[in-house]
Amino acid sequence: MNKKAVSLILLSTLSGFTLSACGKNDSESSIEESVVEANNLADERSLQTSKAIAIEDKNVNEVGQTTIGSVGSTSPMQIAQAESFLNIYSTTCAKYLPNLDELRDKLKDLPQLTDVQAKQFLKGHSGSAWSVPDDHGTFVLTLIEEKNMCAVYANKANSQVVEKQFSNMFASAPSPLTSNERDNSKQTTISGERTTLSYEWAQQGAQRKMLFMLTTDSSADADVQALFTASMIQE
């Protein structure tokens, strides 16, 4: 699945969320125009991101140096891992965020991780966890019962590539929703650097909001190098 397909999934989801948030007095044509406009913008951002990565690769090759964890040192496999990670997140957590019970129902008959296996991903909460088959990495999807939250874990993911793709997708939202950066912080650890990025999408004045969050760990020894979460929050 390419970036355009991911954009269409998200924007289809958001058009439904927008209709719900705005009420039935809003015309469907105005929503469709917003979706088309936002999709074009997402395509443009995707192209800009690809160009930026290509330029960084070229610069690194010219000086003959690479830095572990930098975009310039990424391999095709690392890029594929990041794209798979975003695709899984977009088609599960982001797509079904307004109604995670529907996602639970779709997954109920699929084999889940055992209680012992799921424990490290549920972090003490009640819920379910599934291993997501993919050719490019090891990924785990979780749904927390007592929270309106969905998460996707990646065993391996290049932090800078994932962060670029995440920001490219969520730093702005289709009208009439707006995007607000909630967090952009870094924490130095013994073995690397942990980064947290989050964006909040909502209609102006609305109390119900969508929160998209990414946490990455640059340490090569980390059991989980990247974590996506999506949740509905009430403020």
Side-chain angles (χ1 to χ4, degrees):
M1 184 181 297
N2 57 30
K3 270 287 188 66
K4 184 173 182 179
V6 172
S7 300
L8 286 171
I9 289 171
L10 279 173
L11 294 167
S12 174
T13 301
L14 288 168
S15 66
F17 176 79
T18 303
L19 283 170
S20 175
C22 295
K24 295 185 179 180
N25 292 328
D26 297 303
S27 66
E28 292 189 13
S29 61
S30 65
I31 297 298
E32 290 175 357
E33 290 173 1
S34 298
V35 169
V36 171
E37 179 183 354
N39 187 55
N40 292 335
L41 185 60
D43 284 342
E44 182 180 345
R45 289 188 220 132
S46 178
L47 179 61
Q48 291 173 347
T49 302
S50 299
K51 287 181 178 179
I53 292 174
I55 290 172
E56 290 183 34
D57 283 342
K58 180 176 181 294
N59 290 340
V60 169
N61 289 334
E62 285 178 352
V63 299
Q65 296 177 339
T66 59
T67 302
I68 295 176
S70 71
V71 173
S73 65
T74 56
S75 66
M77 174 57 75
Q78 288 174 318
I79 294 175
Q81 285 174 341
E83 290 178 346
S84 289
F85 188 35
L86 182 63
N87 289 345
I88 293 168
Y89 178 65
S90 301
T91 55
T92 55
C93 295
K95 179 178 180 179
Y96 291 96
L97 181 55
N99 186 5
L100 289 180
D101 285 339
E102 183 179 354
L103 179 58
R104 287 189 179 92
D105 186 62
K106 289 181 179 293
L107 297 174
K108 66 181 181 181
D109 295 328
L110 297 180
Q112 299 182 22
L113 297 184
T114 66
D115 291 342
V116 174
Q117 292 171 327
K119 185 177 180 179
Q120 62 176 315
F121 301 105
L122 296 175
K123 309 296 184 184
H125 297 287
S126 299
S128 303
W130 295 263
S131 177
V132 183
D134 190 89
D135 293 337
H136 300 113
T138 302
F139 306 97
V140 172
L141 168 69
T142 67
L143 289 169
I144 305 300
E145 288 182 1
E146 69 269 30
K147 291 186 176 183
N148 197 12
M149 178 181 289
C150 177
V152 179
Y153 293 78
N155 173 243
K156 297 294 181 184
N158 182 281
S159 59
Q160 291 194 22
V161 174
V162 172
E163 289 162 19
K164 279 180 178 290
Q165 291 182 342
F166 180 76
S167 295
N168 178 57
M169 191 65 67
F170 294 104
S172 61
S175 177
L177 301 178
T178 59
S179 178
N180 176 47
E181 185 179 75
R182 287 277 298 247
D183 195 1
N184 186 349
S185 59
K186 296 183 182 294
Q187 178 183 359
T188 301
T189 64
I190 296 176
S191 54
E193 186 174 69
R194 186 172 295 115
T195 301
T196 301
L197 297 172
S198 67
Y199 295 95
E200 173 188 276
W201 284 18
Q203 186 184 2
Q204 186 176 6
Q207 293 184 334
R208 191 165 177 251
K209 302 177 181 181
M210 307 171 81
L211 181 63
F212 305 100
M213 182 177 294
L214 167 67
T215 303
T216 63
D217 193 327
S218 64
S219 171
D221 298 326
D223 292 332
V224 173
Q225 288 192 323
L227 165 64
F228 274 140
T229 65
S231 57
M232 297 297 301
I233 58 176
Q234 194 86 11
E235 292 184 349

